[in-house]
Amino acid sequence: MFNTNTITRFQSLETPFYYYHLDVLRQTLEACRTASSKYGFHVHYAMKANFNPRVLDLIKEYGFGADCVSGNEVKAAIEHGFGKENIVFAGVGKSDKEINLALDADIFCFNAESVQELEVINELAKAKNKIAKMAIRINPNVDAHTHHFITTGLDENKFGINTWQLSDVAETLRKCTSLEFLGIHFHIGSQITDMEVYKNLCTRINEIQDWFEDRGFTIKVLNTGGGLGIDYQNPDTNTVADFESYFKVFKQFLNVKPGQEVHFELGRALVGQSASLISRVLYVKNGQKKNFLVLDAGMTELIRPMLYQAYHLIENVSQSGVISPESEVEKEATQDSELNTQDFIKYDVVGPICESTDCFQKDVELPESFRGDLIAIRTAGAYGEVMASGYNLRDRVGSIYSED
Ligand SMILES: *Cc1c(COP(=O)(O)O)cnc(C)c1O
């Protein structure tokens, strides 16, 4: 993934930083656009996965819409040129201020997550003499078979409206004259790789849309959400998500009626492989039971391992052998590879933050590593830079782009 020139470039830079593989991002966006347009499907990019301005601009260039979960995301989408007719707005706790902002922006669709929210949007729209277009986010009770920390579509989750409340929803929709009902919305979880899960979702959507139509409602929009997973283990051999299989499942199993639009909200699958977090080894601590690599990046730069027990591939870029014989650091590496007996050592790869959970991964097998070595934490493009924090009064993590 990192050629000699890139590594040389890294050596002159202050770490840690996010390195954006913009070629990977383009390749991924192209694949998604090709696979979805075959069926006329609409794809909104779930902005919360990564709102780096360069990333947003590229995604917009490929013609995707925006899926927002806060007022500021709606604002950012508009600022980056996503058309208001392509913006959807979900979230279990939209404030009045955020709803008003989205009403003023005339976005395509609110995805409402409770009966009370329907009433609030109706009132706020009425006060502005506007009609709010909306879909109902329904919790279909479909198990996403993903990590329980990132499951959202079960009865026990806080998201969406449960199916036993649908009569209430229908009654409220009839009363609320400042709402225009567009359709139904779902989002059952993230990092989903089992296509059977989406097949089950289609079955539930078909039942639920029949329920509404039996009661005289017209469903114009079926929004199935996002969640498509990526390969964190093999970022180099399986770089682009399986968009073909994903969209095909919906084509096969979703009962799409004439005039209906099918919408998707993909985050991770579009951006996950497009960045690596680049860090340096500050210290090597060899213990009797454990060896630690202490990096200059930690949970303040990438919190997924600590927050979701997530796996990221960790590589020692300086000892990987893809190195030109020119510069100082590289000479050492060349010697190592000449010996070709490079032993792998197990390290707990940890950050500098004053928390015991600030560990990227335990027992990572790496070539013997030294102070100053560059470490790449791969597949960090989704839910990485966006979750960076200033805890411990840390500097804001930088971003570097492959095309600069
Ligand atoms: C986060 C989110 C998504 C995107 O999820 P991914 O797993 O990143 O594809 C889509 N829709 C909603 C409502 C979300 O909150």
Side-chain angles (χ1 to χ4, degrees), residues 143-154:
D143 191 341
H145 297 304
T146 185
H147 197 285
H148 62 281
F149 288 173
I150 50 174
T151 292
T152 57
L154 291 176

Side-chain angles (χ1 to χ4, degrees), residues 182-213:
L182 291 187
I184 48 182
H185 171 240
F186 304 82
H187 176 64
I188 58 173
S190 202
Q191 186 51 19
I192 297 166
T193 49
D194 176 1
M195 291 303 131
E196 200 64 22
V197 167
Y198 287 116
K199 187 180 159 191
N200 296 341
L201 175 61
C202 288
T203 307
R204 290 294 284 144
I205 296 176
N206 294 339
E207 291 164 6
I208 292 166
Q209 66 162 328
D210 286 347
W211 188 95
F212 275 99
E213 296 196 329

Side-chain angles (χ1 to χ4, degrees), residues 65-228:
D67 165 37
C68 304
V69 290
S70 75
N72 284 343
E73 285 193 3
V74 172
K75 230 196 272 181
I78 292 166
E79 279 163 14
H80 282 271
F82 290 90
K84 59 184 185 185
E85 68 288 350
N86 287 320
I87 296 177
V88 296
F89 183 15
V92 71
K94 302 177 190 76
S95 70
D96 292 18
K97 182 178 165 189
E98 291 175 313
I99 293 168
N100 278 324
L101 185 148
L103 284 170
D104 289 339
D106 291 318
I107 62 163
F108 168 63
C109 191
F110 288 87
N111 292 325
E113 306 219 8
S114 67
V115 173
Q116 195 168 34
E117 185 190 333
L118 284 176
E119 291 165 350
V120 170
I121 297 177
N122 181 59
E123 273 171 35
L124 295 174
K126 190 176 284 171
K128 288 181 181 292
N129 230 346
K130 289 199 171 206
I131 303 288
K133 287 181 282 188
M134 56 185 348
I136 312 296
R137 177 168 179 176
I138 297 168
N139 187 339
N141 200 23
V142 170
D143 191 341
H145 297 304
T146 185
H147 197 285
H148 62 281
F149 288 173
I150 50 174
T151 292
T152 57
L154 291 176
D155 285 347
E156 69 213 50
N157 295 122
K158 72 176 176 181
F159 299 101
I161 296 172
N162 290 317
T163 44
W164 63 82
Q165 297 169 297
L166 287 185
S167 306
D168 265 5
V169 169
E171 203 179 307
T172 308
L173 285 172
R174 285 190 219 283
K175 278 194 314 218
C176 290
T177 50
S178 297
L179 300 182
E180 180 187 344
F181 176 64
L182 291 187
I184 48 182
H185 171 240
F186 304 82
H187 176 64
I188 58 173
S190 202
Q191 186 51 19
I192 297 166
T193 49
D194 176 1
M195 291 303 131
E196 200 64 22
V197 167
Y198 287 116
K199 187 180 159 191
N200 296 341
L201 175 61
C202 288
T203 307
R204 290 294 284 144
I205 296 176
N206 294 339
E207 291 164 6
I208 292 166
Q209 66 162 328
D210 286 347
W211 188 95
F212 275 99
E213 296 196 329
D214 287 348
R215 280 152 189 82
F217 291 93
T218 307
I219 305 275
K220 284 191 224 153
V221 170
L222 299 173
N223 185 336
T224 71
L228 176 62

Side-chain angles (χ1 to χ4, degrees), residues 27 37 79 183 209 215 310 326 347 396:
Q27 196 190 340
S37 62
E79 279 163 14
Q209 66 162 328
R215 280 152 189 82
E326 252 88 80
Y347 294 103
R396 180 87 206 168

